[in-house]
Amino acid sequence: MSKRIAGPEIERLIQLLAKVPGLGPRSARRAALHLIKKKDQLFAPLTVAMRDALDNVKVCSRCGNVDTVDPCVVCTDPRRDEATLIVVEDVSDLWALERASAMNARYHVLGGVLSPLDGVGPDQLNIRSLVDRVAEGAVAEVILAVNATVEGQATAHYVTDQLSGYEVRVTRLAHGVPVGGELDYLDEGTLTAALRARTNF
Amino acid sequence: MSKRIAGPEIERLIQLLAKVPGLGPRSARRAALHLIKKKDQLFAPLTVAMRDALDNVKVCSRCGNVDTVDPCVVCTDPRRDEATLIVVEDVSDLWALERASAMNARYHVLGGVLSPLDGVGPDQLNIRSLVDRVAEGAVAEVILAVNATVEGQATAHYVTDQLSGYEVRVTRLAHGVPVGGELDYLDEGTLTAALRARTNF
C-alpha cells in the first residue's frame, strides 16, 4: 500500500527539484520543505525570479553567452578589447574566466566539444560563426580556453585548422601547477608540462 | 571594475538559488546554467510546479503536516489507526517515518524543540494542540518520535508531563544499533543503550 503523504503539487515539485544538478531525491525533499517553511522569504521570491529569468533569458546570437539581451552585455560592452577573442566550450567557462577578471576580452562559446561517439560534429558547435567573426578582420588573437581533456584538445586542433587561412594569432592556456596546488597531488602529465614550460625566477 | 556578465534576472535567480539548502553560490550558478540549457525540459516545468505548489501549499491545522488540503490527507485517511499518535519535531521526520511505512498511525508535528536559548518555549510549539487532541479521548498511545538530542529529550519530558493527566500510554522510540551499522563506529551512549535493551535471540 503506497500512501500519499503530500499533495500532488508538492510531489511534483520534489520530483523536478531532484533533477537540478547538486540536488538528489533526498535533498530535493529537504529543499522543498525548506521552501515551504520559508514561503515568504524564499519560496515566493524564488518562484518570481524563476519566472522572470525564464521569460527573459536569451542566448546571444553573436557569442553564445546567455543573457537577457541579445547581443549580450559582453558583446556590446565598449570597454572590451575587440582584438582578443577567448574561445570557451561552455557558458560556465565564460563566467569562470570573467570571475577571474584576468582579461578584458570578448568571448565565443562553442557550446561543447567535438565528440563523434556522442554525435557531436563541427556542425553541432558554434565553429562556423567563430570563423565568420574572425573573417570580419577585427580579431588579432584567438585564445583557445578549452578544457585540457582529449575532446577539448581535439576541438582546439580542429578550430586552429579552420582559422589557418586568416591573419590571426591562435594561442592556448598555459599548462602548469595550479596556484596553491601541491606537487604531491598532481598527475605526471601536469608536472611534465610545468617542468617543460619553466620560467626564470 | 565589476563587469556585468549576465542580465539582472539571471543574477537574481542565482542569488536566490544559492539560499536553497544543498546549493551554495557555486552550485547555484551551475544549477541556473543547467536550467537555462534545459529550458523546455526542466526550467519551464519546474517554474510552473513551483507556482502550483506555492499557491496551494497549506499547513494542516490539525497535525502540522504540509499538504495542499487542510486537514491533510494523513489526518483524513480513514485507513489509519486513530488510537496511535506519533509526535515528531518536524514535517521531514513525518515524511521519513512514512517512507519507512512501519506504522499506520496519525501524526502530530511539534514544529521544533524546546530551546530556551533560542527563545523557543512551549507556546512556540504545537503542544497545546497535541494535548487538545489527546483530550478528545480517541488516542490510546502517544509515540514520542523526537530526535535523540538533548533538546529533543527535554521536549519529550515536557510533553509527557503535559499528558500526565490523561488516560494515554506515552512511549518513545527504542535506542540501539542502527540496522546495517557497525559497532566499531558507534558512540558509547548508543552501545550502552543497545546492551541495556538487549533482547532474546
Side-chain angles (χ1 to χ4, degrees):
Chain A
M1 179 176 68
S2 156
K3 288 173 289 189
R4 251 190 76 218
I5 51 166
E9 292 90 345
I10 298 171
E11 294 289 352
R12 175 129 178 94
L13 173 64
I14 294 170
Q15 193 194 321
L16 288 167
L17 277 175
K19 294 186 183 168
V20 174
L23 298 177
R26 215 183 182 92
S27 45
R29 213 176 291 121
R30 210 157 55 89
L33 273 177
H34 184 82
L35 288 174
I36 290 169
K37 268 189 216 164
K38 306 263 172 191
K39 206 174 159 181
D40 296 329
Q41 304 99 301
L42 183 58
F43 199 2
L46 179 58
T47 303
V48 172
M50 287 188 63
R51 172 52 66 189
D52 283 351
L54 179 64
D55 289 346
N56 290 296
V57 76
K58 290 175 189 69
V59 172
C60 175
S61 55
R62 187 156 172 81
C63 77
N65 186 16
V66 296
D67 201 347
T68 46
V69 286
D70 179 19
C72 74
V73 287
V74 174
C75 283
T76 52
D77 184 348
R79 292 168 304 180
R80 282 172 189 269
D81 180 10
E82 284 270 18
T84 311
L85 195 61
I86 304 180
V87 174
V88 292
E89 291 179 23
D90 202 279
V91 176
S92 55
D93 302 324
L94 188 165
W95 290 9
L97 287 166
E98 277 299 298
R99 282 200 298 284
S101 314
M103 288 199 91
N104 205 21
R106 298 195 194 266
Y107 292 89
H108 196 84
V109 181
L110 294 177
V113 281
L114 293 175
S115 177
L117 288 177
D118 300 319
V120 182
D123 295 340
Q124 276 71 52
L125 304 179
N126 302 323
I127 293 177
R128 187 72 250 155
S129 54
L130 170 64
V131 176
D132 290 346
R133 282 180 83 175
V134 171
E136 290 170 13
V139 178
E141 177 177 3
V142 169
I143 304 176
L144 299 173
V146 292
N147 291 333
T149 57
V150 174
E151 290 90 353
Q153 296 310 306
T155 308
H157 281 293
Y158 181 86
V159 169
T160 309
D161 271 359
Q162 298 298 303
L163 295 175
S164 61
Y166 300 92
E167 279 275 350
V168 66
R169 186 178 166 214
V170 181
T171 56
R172 66 163 176 79
L173 296 184
H175 285 309
V177 179
V179 176
E182 294 185 41
L183 298 195
D184 199 15
Y185 291 97
L186 284 174
D187 63 295
E188 293 78 8
T190 303
L191 287 174
T192 307
L195 274 172
R196 281 199 191 135
R198 65 191 179 280
T199 54
N200 287 323
F201 192 68
Chain B
M1 179 175 68
S2 155
K3 288 174 286 189
R4 251 190 76 219
I5 52 167
E9 293 89 346
I10 299 172
E11 295 289 354
R12 173 127 179 97
L13 173 64
I14 294 170
Q15 193 195 322
L16 287 168
L17 278 176
K19 293 186 183 168
V20 174
L23 298 177
R26 214 181 184 97
S27 45
R29 215 177 288 120
R30 210 158 54 89
L33 273 177
H34 183 82
L35 288 173
I36 290 167
K37 268 190 213 163
K38 306 263 173 193
K39 204 175 161 182
D40 296 329
Q41 304 101 298
L42 184 58
F43 198 3
L46 179 57
T47 302
V48 172
M50 287 188 63
R51 173 51 66 188
D52 282 352
L54 179 64
D55 289 345
N56 289 296
V57 76
K58 290 174 188 69
V59 172
C60 176
S61 55
R62 188 157 170 79
C63 78
N65 187 17
V66 294
D67 200 347
T68 47
V69 285
D70 179 19
C72 75
V73 287
V74 174
C75 282
T76 53
D77 185 348
R79 294 168 304 180
R80 281 172 189 267
D81 180 11
E82 285 268 19
T84 312
L85 196 60
I86 304 180
V87 175
V88 292
E89 289 179 22
D90 203 277
V91 176
S92 56
D93 302 323
L94 189 166
W95 290 9
L97 288 165
E98 277 299 296
R99 282 200 300 283
S101 313
M103 287 198 93
N104 206 19
R106 297 194 194 268
Y107 291 90
H108 196 83
V109 180
L110 293 179
V113 280
L114 293 176
S115 177
L117 287 178
D118 300 319
V120 183
D123 295 340
Q124 276 73 51
L125 303 179
N126 302 322
I127 294 178
R128 187 72 249 155
S129 53
L130 170 64
V131 176
D132 290 344
R133 282 180 83 175
V134 170
E136 290 170 14
V139 178
E141 179 176 1
V142 169
I143 304 175
L144 297 173
V146 292
N147 290 332
T149 56
V150 173
E151 289 91 353
Q153 296 310 306
T155 309
H157 280 293
Y158 181 85
V159 169
T160 309
D161 271 357
Q162 299 297 304
L163 296 175
S164 61
Y166 300 92
E167 278 275 348
V168 67
R169 187 179 165 213
V170 181
T171 56
R172 66 164 176 78
L173 296 184
H175 285 309
V177 179
V179 176
E182 294 185 43
L183 297 197
D184 200 13
Y185 292 97
L186 285 174
D187 62 296
E188 292 78 11
T190 303
L191 287 173
T192 307
L195 274 172
R196 282 201 188 132
R198 65 192 178 279
T199 55
N200 287 324
F201 193 67

